Amino acid sequence: MKITTITAKLILAFCLSFAIVRAQDKSPDRIAVTAKRMIDVRTGKEITDAVILVEKNRITGVGSNLRIPDSAQIIALGDVTLLPGLIDAHTHLLHQYYSKYGDDNSNRILEMTQLGPAKRAMLGVRLAREMLDAGFTSVRDLGNSSVNADIALRDAINSNDVAGPRMFVSTRALSPVGGQFQSVTPEAQHLLNQEYVQISGTEEARRAVRQAIYDGADCIKVIVNSGSRRLSVEEIKVIVEEAKRANLPVAAHATDGDGPSMIAAEAGVSSIEHAYTISETVLALMAKKNIFLVPTDAAGVAKYQERIKRALKAGVRIAIGSDIYYEFSGMTRGQVSVGMYKTYLASGMTSIEILRAATINPAELIGNNSIGSLEVGRFADIIAVKGNPLTDISVLEGVVFVMKDGKVYKK
Ligand SMILES: [Zn+2]
């Protein structure tokens, strides 16, 4: 009896030590993510029985039924579709308006006077997490962040103090005098410098870009027009020249007719934002100069949808941006933002075109070749959705798994 007990204990101890050794065999740095299918956004092909091998924060293997090394931890997701993490080409993560406070201008004044950089960054902590949960692993954040609060949030995310998407930030937007504010009294106008760098003349434009570079910007945002207040083509050309010298792309806000878009296209910016009313002439110039259109369409407006069709026809590439900055009651910023993709079906884009405009196109616009696709050498920014986005793009609204930089944030 006694011998049997000792034998049993020895067997148990042996099994336990074996199990511990086996567990130690699994490297925390090696992960295999498996799923029923995956979309290669570059080719538009569907890969079944998908396996993505990850080592530390990079993808080391992608394919169907790949052999999984014994040392890899397996994350078996089952009947889902793997996609590269979404990239929102136009966000404002340190900026939130509330309809109860009135229109844009009333909100703008309240935000400027009541939220300094610290409070803005804290707001951004929540909104960044909400974006990541919805499947956005990178964002291009374009101003309205007070003075360099976007830099603080970006750096906190990069050093893992805060969970959020990789942020590519502009610091304050360069703008005509008055920024995007409407009527502000002369006594209060000095406050506008919290929100915009107001420029007048080419040397002020040059100085503003150099300041943004010094502050740590990843891109430059320029407000070509605020209503009828416009920058000139000479000013934007200098902005582009200075930004290019530092390898930074230039995002140009242009609305109200064709004039501001034409100024931006002539000056050779990297992307034109909004451009709700844009002519064939400007679209042709954008195609020729490889300038991206970043539409920020929330819902179906016939004339906006029609401009997307004209842009596609002209050969202009599209990187989709949400530009969400109002609070939607009961929904997170991520949930609201990810709802935008289905809008583009009615604008004549196919599902794969939408997926590209949500991944590889913004990656190229940002100028980072480690994001935007599930390919060997890229960052392990992987999401999963139920269903197949090639047949139903709205499945992007239900992201069930998020990995960023090799780390799982949602499962
Ligand atoms: Zn915007």
PDB file of all heavy atoms in Angstrom, residues 92-122:
ATOM      1  N   HIS A  92      -8.956  62.636 -34.669  1.00  0.00           N
ATOM      2  CA  HIS A  92      -8.711  63.697 -33.678  1.00  0.00           C
ATOM      3  C   HIS A  92      -8.940  63.060 -32.305  1.00  0.00           C
ATOM      4  O   HIS A  92     -10.025  63.165 -31.746  1.00  0.00           O
ATOM      5  CB  HIS A  92      -9.673  64.862 -33.882  1.00  0.00           C
ATOM      6  CG  HIS A  92      -9.526  65.536 -35.216  1.00  0.00           C
ATOM      7  ND1 HIS A  92      -8.473  66.366 -35.500  1.00  0.00           N
ATOM      8  CD2 HIS A  92     -10.279  65.481 -36.345  1.00  0.00           C
ATOM      9  CE1 HIS A  92      -8.596  66.814 -36.752  1.00  0.00           C
ATOM     10  NE2 HIS A  92      -9.674  66.289 -37.289  1.00  0.00           N
ATOM     11  N   LEU A  93      -7.933  62.382 -31.803  1.00  0.00           N
ATOM     12  CA  LEU A  93      -8.119  61.628 -30.560  1.00  0.00           C
ATOM     13  C   LEU A  93      -8.046  62.495 -29.295  1.00  0.00           C
ATOM     14  O   LEU A  93      -8.278  62.002 -28.205  1.00  0.00           O
ATOM     15  CB  LEU A  93      -7.085  60.502 -30.450  1.00  0.00           C
ATOM     16  CG  LEU A  93      -7.143  59.411 -31.526  1.00  0.00           C
ATOM     17  CD1 LEU A  93      -6.249  58.245 -31.152  1.00  0.00           C
ATOM     18  CD2 LEU A  93      -8.561  58.909 -31.760  1.00  0.00           C
ATOM     19  N   LEU A  94      -7.725  63.780 -29.473  1.00  0.00           N
ATOM     20  CA  LEU A  94      -7.655  64.647 -28.287  1.00  0.00           C
ATOM     21  C   LEU A  94      -8.672  65.767 -28.410  1.00  0.00           C
ATOM     22  O   LEU A  94      -8.452  66.902 -27.967  1.00  0.00           O
ATOM     23  CB  LEU A  94      -6.234  65.217 -28.120  1.00  0.00           C
ATOM     24  CG  LEU A  94      -5.140  64.163 -27.882  1.00  0.00           C
ATOM     25  CD1 LEU A  94      -4.536  63.671 -29.171  1.00  0.00           C
ATOM     26  CD2 LEU A  94      -4.093  64.660 -26.922  1.00  0.00           C
ATOM     27  N   HIS A  95      -9.788  65.417 -28.991  1.00  0.00           N
ATOM     28  CA  HIS A  95     -10.730  66.449 -29.433  1.00  0.00           C
ATOM     29  C   HIS A  95     -12.121  65.818 -29.428  1.00  0.00           C
ATOM     30  O   HIS A  95     -12.344  64.824 -30.121  1.00  0.00           O
ATOM     31  CB  HIS A  95     -10.277  66.798 -30.852  1.00  0.00           C
ATOM     32  CG  HIS A  95     -11.085  67.762 -31.642  1.00  0.00           C
ATOM     33  ND1 HIS A  95     -11.564  68.942 -31.154  1.00  0.00           N
ATOM     34  CD2 HIS A  95     -11.439  67.721 -32.956  1.00  0.00           C
ATOM     35  CE1 HIS A  95     -12.186  69.583 -32.133  1.00  0.00           C
ATOM     36  NE2 HIS A  95     -12.132  68.864 -33.228  1.00  0.00           N
ATOM     37  N   GLN A  96     -13.027  66.371 -28.574  1.00  0.00           N
ATOM     38  CA  GLN A  96     -14.393  65.837 -28.584  1.00  0.00           C
ATOM     39  C   GLN A  96     -15.407  66.944 -28.349  1.00  0.00           C
ATOM     40  O   GLN A  96     -15.311  67.692 -27.377  1.00  0.00           O
ATOM     41  CB  GLN A  96     -14.539  64.751 -27.517  1.00  0.00           C
ATOM     42  CG  GLN A  96     -15.961  64.233 -27.382  1.00  0.00           C
ATOM     43  CD  GLN A  96     -16.041  62.705 -27.407  1.00  0.00           C
ATOM     44  OE1 GLN A  96     -15.805  62.093 -28.441  1.00  0.00           O
ATOM     45  NE2 GLN A  96     -16.379  62.100 -26.292  1.00  0.00           N
ATOM     46  N   TYR A  97     -16.364  67.039 -29.257  1.00  0.00           N
ATOM     47  CA  TYR A  97     -17.438  68.012 -29.136  1.00  0.00           C
ATOM     48  C   TYR A  97     -18.720  67.318 -28.656  1.00  0.00           C
ATOM     49  O   TYR A  97     -18.906  66.117 -28.885  1.00  0.00           O
ATOM     50  CB  TYR A  97     -17.735  68.670 -30.488  1.00  0.00           C
ATOM     51  CG  TYR A  97     -16.679  69.633 -30.995  1.00  0.00           C
ATOM     52  CD1 TYR A  97     -16.747  70.108 -32.302  1.00  0.00           C
ATOM     53  CD2 TYR A  97     -15.648  70.072 -30.182  1.00  0.00           C
ATOM     54  CE1 TYR A  97     -15.793  70.996 -32.785  1.00  0.00           C
ATOM     55  CE2 TYR A  97     -14.697  70.966 -30.654  1.00  0.00           C
ATOM     56  CZ  TYR A  97     -14.771  71.422 -31.959  1.00  0.00           C
ATOM     57  OH  TYR A  97     -13.840  72.296 -32.443  1.00  0.00           O
ATOM     58  N   TYR A  98     -19.570  68.119 -28.027  1.00  0.00           N
ATOM     59  CA  TYR A  98     -20.848  67.594 -27.524  1.00  0.00           C
ATOM     60  C   TYR A  98     -21.962  68.456 -28.085  1.00  0.00           C
ATOM     61  O   TYR A  98     -21.922  69.688 -27.936  1.00  0.00           O
ATOM     62  CB  TYR A  98     -20.865  67.648 -25.986  1.00  0.00           C
ATOM     63  CG  TYR A  98     -19.744  66.843 -25.357  1.00  0.00           C
ATOM     64  CD1 TYR A  98     -18.480  67.405 -25.165  1.00  0.00           C
ATOM     65  CD2 TYR A  98     -19.935  65.508 -24.984  1.00  0.00           C
ATOM     66  CE1 TYR A  98     -17.441  66.667 -24.612  1.00  0.00           C
ATOM     67  CE2 TYR A  98     -18.902  64.765 -24.432  1.00  0.00           C
ATOM     68  CZ  TYR A  98     -17.653  65.352 -24.251  1.00  0.00           C
ATOM     69  OH  TYR A  98     -16.632  64.622 -23.702  1.00  0.00           O
ATOM     70  N   SER A  99     -22.975  67.835 -28.708  1.00  0.00           N
ATOM     71  CA  SER A  99     -24.042  68.648 -29.324  1.00  0.00           C
ATOM     72  C   SER A  99     -24.780  69.516 -28.310  1.00  0.00           C
ATOM     73  O   SER A  99     -25.293  70.580 -28.666  1.00  0.00           O
ATOM     74  CB  SER A  99     -25.046  67.784 -30.086  1.00  0.00           C
ATOM     75  OG  SER A  99     -24.732  66.468 -30.065  1.00  0.00           O
ATOM     76  N   LYS A 100     -24.788  69.088 -27.029  1.00  0.00           N
ATOM     77  CA  LYS A 100     -25.488  69.902 -26.010  1.00  0.00           C
ATOM     78  C   LYS A 100     -24.849  71.290 -25.859  1.00  0.00           C
ATOM     79  O   LYS A 100     -25.479  72.216 -25.355  1.00  0.00           O
ATOM     80  CB  LYS A 100     -25.532  69.171 -24.664  1.00  0.00           C
ATOM     81  CG  LYS A 100     -24.187  68.970 -24.036  1.00  0.00           C
ATOM     82  CD  LYS A 100     -24.277  68.200 -22.711  1.00  0.00           C
ATOM     83  CE  LYS A 100     -22.883  67.916 -22.182  1.00  0.00           C
ATOM     84  NZ  LYS A 100     -22.820  67.042 -21.049  1.00  0.00           N
ATOM     85  N   TYR A 101     -23.600  71.453 -26.264  1.00  0.00           N
ATOM     86  CA  TYR A 101     -22.939  72.758 -26.155  1.00  0.00           C
ATOM     87  C   TYR A 101     -23.109  73.610 -27.414  1.00  0.00           C
ATOM     88  O   TYR A 101     -22.528  74.689 -27.525  1.00  0.00           O
ATOM     89  CB  TYR A 101     -21.443  72.597 -25.880  1.00  0.00           C
ATOM     90  CG  TYR A 101     -21.125  71.933 -24.555  1.00  0.00           C
ATOM     91  CD1 TYR A 101     -20.028  71.089 -24.430  1.00  0.00           C
ATOM     92  CD2 TYR A 101     -21.916  72.155 -23.434  1.00  0.00           C
ATOM     93  CE1 TYR A 101     -19.729  70.473 -23.219  1.00  0.00           C
ATOM     94  CE2 TYR A 101     -21.626  71.542 -22.220  1.00  0.00           C
ATOM     95  CZ  TYR A 101     -20.533  70.695 -22.125  1.00  0.00           C
ATOM     96  OH  TYR A 101     -20.236  70.088 -20.927  1.00  0.00           O
ATOM     97  N   GLY A 102     -23.839  73.096 -28.389  1.00  0.00           N
ATOM     98  CA  GLY A 102     -24.084  73.909 -29.587  1.00  0.00           C
ATOM     99  C   GLY A 102     -23.264  73.461 -30.783  1.00  0.00           C
ATOM    100  O   GLY A 102     -22.893  72.296 -30.886  1.00  0.00           O
ATOM    101  N   ASP A 103     -22.966  74.431 -31.652  1.00  0.00           N
ATOM    102  CA  ASP A 103     -22.315  74.087 -32.926  1.00  0.00           C
ATOM    103  C   ASP A 103     -20.788  73.981 -32.782  1.00  0.00           C
ATOM    104  O   ASP A 103     -20.250  74.087 -31.679  1.00  0.00           O
ATOM    105  CB  ASP A 103     -22.680  75.133 -33.990  1.00  0.00           C
ATOM    106  CG  ASP A 103     -22.172  76.529 -33.629  1.00  0.00           C
ATOM    107  OD1 ASP A 103     -21.460  76.673 -32.597  1.00  0.00           O
ATOM    108  OD2 ASP A 103     -22.467  77.480 -34.370  1.00  0.00           O
ATOM    109  N   ASP A 104     -20.126  73.799 -33.927  1.00  0.00           N
ATOM    110  CA  ASP A 104     -18.661  73.646 -33.936  1.00  0.00           C
ATOM    111  C   ASP A 104     -17.974  74.812 -33.229  1.00  0.00           C
ATOM    112  O   ASP A 104     -17.071  74.618 -32.427  1.00  0.00           O
ATOM    113  CB  ASP A 104     -18.142  73.607 -35.386  1.00  0.00           C
ATOM    114  CG  ASP A 104     -18.189  72.198 -35.968  1.00  0.00           C
ATOM    115  OD1 ASP A 104     -18.866  71.330 -35.381  1.00  0.00           O
ATOM    116  OD2 ASP A 104     -17.559  71.981 -37.028  1.00  0.00           O
ATOM    117  N   ASN A 105     -18.411  76.031 -33.557  1.00  0.00           N
ATOM    118  CA  ASN A 105     -17.699  77.195 -33.027  1.00  0.00           C
ATOM    119  C   ASN A 105     -17.839  77.323 -31.517  1.00  0.00           C
ATOM    120  O   ASN A 105     -16.864  77.613 -30.822  1.00  0.00           O
ATOM    121  CB  ASN A 105     -18.168  78.473 -33.729  1.00  0.00           C
ATOM    122  CG  ASN A 105     -17.120  79.559 -33.631  1.00  0.00           C
ATOM    123  OD1 ASN A 105     -15.937  79.318 -33.907  1.00  0.00           O
ATOM    124  ND2 ASN A 105     -17.519  80.735 -33.187  1.00  0.00           N
ATOM    125  N   SER A 106     -19.038  77.061 -30.996  1.00  0.00           N
ATOM    126  CA  SER A 106     -19.226  77.127 -29.526  1.00  0.00           C
ATOM    127  C   SER A 106     -18.372  76.063 -28.849  1.00  0.00           C
ATOM    128  O   SER A 106     -17.710  76.328 -27.830  1.00  0.00           O
ATOM    129  CB  SER A 106     -20.692  76.868 -29.163  1.00  0.00           C
ATOM    130  OG  SER A 106     -21.533  77.568 -30.023  1.00  0.00           O
ATOM    131  N   ASN A 107     -18.366  74.862 -29.408  1.00  0.00           N
ATOM    132  CA  ASN A 107     -17.564  73.778 -28.836  1.00  0.00           C
ATOM    133  C   ASN A 107     -16.074  74.107 -28.882  1.00  0.00           C
ATOM    134  O   ASN A 107     -15.333  73.854 -27.937  1.00  0.00           O
ATOM    135  CB  ASN A 107     -17.804  72.482 -29.611  1.00  0.00           C
ATOM    136  CG  ASN A 107     -18.940  71.663 -29.021  1.00  0.00           C
ATOM    137  OD1 ASN A 107     -18.774  71.019 -27.992  1.00  0.00           O
ATOM    138  ND2 ASN A 107     -20.098  71.680 -29.663  1.00  0.00           N
ATOM    139  N   ARG A 108     -15.655  74.689 -30.011  1.00  0.00           N
ATOM    140  CA  ARG A 108     -14.248  75.023 -30.220  1.00  0.00           C
ATOM    141  C   ARG A 108     -13.755  75.981 -29.131  1.00  0.00           C
ATOM    142  O   ARG A 108     -12.686  75.823 -28.564  1.00  0.00           O
ATOM    143  CB  ARG A 108     -14.157  75.733 -31.578  1.00  0.00           C
ATOM    144  CG  ARG A 108     -12.955  75.383 -32.382  1.00  0.00           C
ATOM    145  CD  ARG A 108     -13.110  75.906 -33.805  1.00  0.00           C
ATOM    146  NE  ARG A 108     -13.369  74.824 -34.734  1.00  0.00           N
ATOM    147  CZ  ARG A 108     -14.134  74.922 -35.811  1.00  0.00           C
ATOM    148  NH1 ARG A 108     -14.755  76.035 -36.117  1.00  0.00           N
ATOM    149  NH2 ARG A 108     -14.286  73.884 -36.600  1.00  0.00           N
ATOM    150  N   ILE A 109     -14.594  76.982 -28.847  1.00  0.00           N
ATOM    151  CA  ILE A 109     -14.206  77.982 -27.847  1.00  0.00           C
ATOM    152  C   ILE A 109     -14.158  77.355 -26.448  1.00  0.00           C
ATOM    153  O   ILE A 109     -13.225  77.574 -25.686  1.00  0.00           O
ATOM    154  CB  ILE A 109     -15.159  79.196 -27.917  1.00  0.00           C
ATOM    155  CG1 ILE A 109     -14.844  79.974 -29.208  1.00  0.00           C
ATOM    156  CG2 ILE A 109     -15.018  80.092 -26.694  1.00  0.00           C
ATOM    157  CD1 ILE A 109     -15.881  80.969 -29.633  1.00  0.00           C
ATOM    158  N   LEU A 110     -15.142  76.507 -26.153  1.00  0.00           N
ATOM    159  CA  LEU A 110     -15.147  75.838 -24.842  1.00  0.00           C
ATOM    160  C   LEU A 110     -13.921  74.944 -24.695  1.00  0.00           C
ATOM    161  O   LEU A 110     -13.253  74.946 -23.659  1.00  0.00           O
ATOM    162  CB  LEU A 110     -16.414  74.976 -24.700  1.00  0.00           C
ATOM    163  CG  LEU A 110     -17.676  75.723 -24.295  1.00  0.00           C
ATOM    164  CD1 LEU A 110     -18.873  74.782 -24.348  1.00  0.00           C
ATOM    165  CD2 LEU A 110     -17.528  76.280 -22.879  1.00  0.00           C
ATOM    166  N   GLU A 111     -13.626  74.187 -25.742  1.00  0.00           N
ATOM    167  CA  GLU A 111     -12.503  73.254 -25.683  1.00  0.00           C
ATOM    168  C   GLU A 111     -11.193  74.017 -25.480  1.00  0.00           C
ATOM    169  O   GLU A 111     -10.360  73.648 -24.655  1.00  0.00           O
ATOM    170  CB  GLU A 111     -12.455  72.436 -26.985  1.00  0.00           C
ATOM    171  CG  GLU A 111     -11.658  71.154 -26.873  1.00  0.00           C
ATOM    172  CD  GLU A 111     -11.790  70.278 -28.111  1.00  0.00           C
ATOM    173  OE1 GLU A 111     -11.352  70.704 -29.190  1.00  0.00           O
ATOM    174  OE2 GLU A 111     -12.321  69.172 -28.002  1.00  0.00           O
ATOM    175  N   MET A 112     -11.042  75.103 -26.239  1.00  0.00           N
ATOM    176  CA  MET A 112      -9.806  75.891 -26.179  1.00  0.00           C
ATOM    177  C   MET A 112      -9.602  76.530 -24.805  1.00  0.00           C
ATOM    178  O   MET A 112      -8.488  76.597 -24.294  1.00  0.00           O
ATOM    179  CB  MET A 112      -9.855  76.983 -27.256  1.00  0.00           C
ATOM    180  CG  MET A 112      -8.678  77.929 -27.235  1.00  0.00           C
ATOM    181  SD  MET A 112      -8.838  79.179 -28.519  1.00  0.00           S
ATOM    182  CE  MET A 112     -10.231  80.147 -27.951  1.00  0.00           C
ATOM    183  N   THR A 113     -10.717  76.989 -24.197  1.00  0.00           N
ATOM    184  CA  THR A 113     -10.574  77.734 -22.939  1.00  0.00           C
ATOM    185  C   THR A 113     -10.651  76.840 -21.703  1.00  0.00           C
ATOM    186  O   THR A 113     -10.219  77.236 -20.638  1.00  0.00           O
ATOM    187  CB  THR A 113     -11.665  78.817 -22.822  1.00  0.00           C
ATOM    188  OG1 THR A 113     -12.935  78.203 -23.045  1.00  0.00           O
ATOM    189  CG2 THR A 113     -11.464  79.917 -23.838  1.00  0.00           C
ATOM    190  N   GLN A 114     -11.228  75.654 -21.847  1.00  0.00           N
ATOM    191  CA  GLN A 114     -11.421  74.830 -20.649  1.00  0.00           C
ATOM    192  C   GLN A 114     -10.532  73.597 -20.572  1.00  0.00           C
ATOM    193  O   GLN A 114     -10.420  72.981 -19.526  1.00  0.00           O
ATOM    194  CB  GLN A 114     -12.889  74.402 -20.550  1.00  0.00           C
ATOM    195  CG  GLN A 114     -13.794  75.622 -20.438  1.00  0.00           C
ATOM    196  CD  GLN A 114     -15.182  75.279 -19.956  1.00  0.00           C
ATOM    197  OE1 GLN A 114     -15.605  74.141 -20.063  1.00  0.00           O
ATOM    198  NE2 GLN A 114     -15.881  76.250 -19.439  1.00  0.00           N
ATOM    199  N   LEU A 115      -9.959  73.200 -21.727  1.00  0.00           N
ATOM    200  CA  LEU A 115      -9.098  72.011 -21.702  1.00  0.00           C
ATOM    201  C   LEU A 115      -7.694  72.378 -22.162  1.00  0.00           C
ATOM    202  O   LEU A 115      -7.487  72.689 -23.327  1.00  0.00           O
ATOM    203  CB  LEU A 115      -9.639  70.915 -22.624  1.00  0.00           C
ATOM    204  CG  LEU A 115     -11.031  70.361 -22.376  1.00  0.00           C
ATOM    205  CD1 LEU A 115     -11.343  69.265 -23.394  1.00  0.00           C
ATOM    206  CD2 LEU A 115     -11.162  69.784 -20.979  1.00  0.00           C
ATOM    207  N   GLY A 116      -6.751  72.321 -21.285  1.00  0.00           N
ATOM    208  CA  GLY A 116      -5.351  72.522 -21.660  1.00  0.00           C
ATOM    209  C   GLY A 116      -4.759  71.215 -22.156  1.00  0.00           C
ATOM    210  O   GLY A 116      -5.465  70.207 -22.259  1.00  0.00           O
ATOM    211  N   PRO A 117      -3.448  71.210 -22.458  1.00  0.00           N
ATOM    212  CA  PRO A 117      -2.821  70.006 -23.006  1.00  0.00           C
ATOM    213  C   PRO A 117      -2.974  68.760 -22.118  1.00  0.00           C
ATOM    214  O   PRO A 117      -3.187  67.666 -22.635  1.00  0.00           O
ATOM    215  CB  PRO A 117      -1.350  70.391 -23.133  1.00  0.00           C
ATOM    216  CG  PRO A 117      -1.305  71.874 -23.074  1.00  0.00           C
ATOM    217  CD  PRO A 117      -2.532  72.338 -22.371  1.00  0.00           C
ATOM    218  N   ALA A 118      -2.909  68.925 -20.788  1.00  0.00           N
ATOM    219  CA  ALA A 118      -2.986  67.746 -19.913  1.00  0.00           C
ATOM    220  C   ALA A 118      -4.354  67.083 -19.999  1.00  0.00           C
ATOM    221  O   ALA A 118      -4.477  65.871 -20.165  1.00  0.00           O
ATOM    222  CB  ALA A 118      -2.666  68.143 -18.479  1.00  0.00           C
ATOM    223  N   LYS A 119      -5.418  67.902 -19.918  1.00  0.00           N
ATOM    224  CA  LYS A 119      -6.771  67.325 -19.992  1.00  0.00           C
ATOM    225  C   LYS A 119      -7.028  66.730 -21.374  1.00  0.00           C
ATOM    226  O   LYS A 119      -7.713  65.718 -21.503  1.00  0.00           O
ATOM    227  CB  LYS A 119      -7.819  68.383 -19.651  1.00  0.00           C
ATOM    228  CG  LYS A 119      -7.924  68.647 -18.160  1.00  0.00           C
ATOM    229  CD  LYS A 119      -9.096  69.557 -17.839  1.00  0.00           C
ATOM    230  CE  LYS A 119      -9.233  69.737 -16.325  1.00  0.00           C
ATOM    231  NZ  LYS A 119     -10.264  70.706 -15.974  1.00  0.00           N
ATOM    232  N   ARG A 120      -6.497  67.381 -22.400  1.00  0.00           N
ATOM    233  CA  ARG A 120      -6.677  66.850 -23.760  1.00  0.00           C
ATOM    234  C   ARG A 120      -6.021  65.471 -23.879  1.00  0.00           C
ATOM    235  O   ARG A 120      -6.572  64.549 -24.475  1.00  0.00           O
ATOM    236  CB  ARG A 120      -6.078  67.805 -24.799  1.00  0.00           C
ATOM    237  CG  ARG A 120      -6.748  69.160 -24.870  1.00  0.00           C
ATOM    238  CD  ARG A 120      -8.122  69.094 -25.485  1.00  0.00           C
ATOM    239  NE  ARG A 120      -8.096  69.144 -26.945  1.00  0.00           N
ATOM    240  CZ  ARG A 120      -8.034  70.271 -27.658  1.00  0.00           C
ATOM    241  NH1 ARG A 120      -7.950  71.442 -27.058  1.00  0.00           N
ATOM    242  NH2 ARG A 120      -8.064  70.225 -28.967  1.00  0.00           N
ATOM    243  N   ALA A 121      -4.812  65.350 -23.332  1.00  0.00           N
ATOM    244  CA  ALA A 121      -4.107  64.065 -23.403  1.00  0.00           C
ATOM    245  C   ALA A 121      -4.880  62.987 -22.647  1.00  0.00           C
ATOM    246  O   ALA A 121      -4.982  61.840 -23.106  1.00  0.00           O
ATOM    247  CB  ALA A 121      -2.693  64.209 -22.861  1.00  0.00           C
ATOM    248  N   MET A 122      -5.470  63.369 -21.512  1.00  0.00           N
ATOM    249  CA  MET A 122      -6.250  62.403 -20.723  1.00  0.00           C
ATOM    250  C   MET A 122      -7.495  61.945 -21.486  1.00  0.00           C
ATOM    251  O   MET A 122      -7.862  60.775 -21.452  1.00  0.00           O
ATOM    252  CB  MET A 122      -6.666  63.022 -19.377  1.00  0.00           C
ATOM    253  CG  MET A 122      -5.523  63.260 -18.451  1.00  0.00           C
ATOM    254  SD  MET A 122      -4.673  61.727 -18.049  1.00  0.00           S
ATOM    255  CE  MET A 122      -3.294  62.354 -17.150  1.00  0.00           C
TER     256      MET A 122
END
